[in-house]
Amino acid sequence: ESQVLSGAKEALSKGEIGLLQIEWNHCAGQYLQESRDVAAQMLARAGYGLYRPDAEGRLMPSLGEEGRDIFAARPDVAASLTA
């Protein structure tokens, strides 16, 4: 994902992308020798937070631990989806 995020850096920094769904499991480390921290830091620098849906489907803040897919969202988009 860091390669994709790098390619989308300008669009992310301009806030042109409101929400991203990202595979967030062990595969990046296993196949690309890259931790999830790289993608998380790129997203944070562009102003995005990490979220996972709760049992009702509302996006809730996440610490970015590996597991199921994660969503990266701009704060305004996240606020509209967590209410």
Side-chain angles (χ1 to χ4, degrees), residues 53-81:
D54 66 10
E56 285 80 40
R58 295 179 302 237
L59 291 183
M60 305 302 287
S62 173
L63 297 175
E65 62 282 352
E66 286 188 352
R68 54 198 166 105
D69 289 0
I70 202 163
F71 292 87
R74 290 190 344 248
D76 59 322
V77 173
S80 72
L81 297 173

Side-chain angles (χ1 to χ4, degrees), residues 1 10 12 41-42 45 53 64-66 68 80:
E1 280 76 15
E10 184 175 341
L12 289 167
Q41 290 169 5
M42 291 175 79
R45 281 193 300 272
E65 62 282 352
E66 286 188 352
R68 54 198 166 105
S80 72

Side-chain angles (χ1 to χ4, degrees), residues 11-37:
L12 289 167
S13 67
K14 290 180 179 180
E16 295 174 351
I17 300 169
L19 183 71
L20 296 164
Q21 182 175 359
I22 304 169
E23 291 181 17
W24 207 260
N25 53 44
H26 69 282
C27 290
Q30 183 177 350
Y31 298 114
L32 302 174
Q33 289 73 48
E34 182 177 281
S35 98
R36 285 284 166 222
D37 293 340

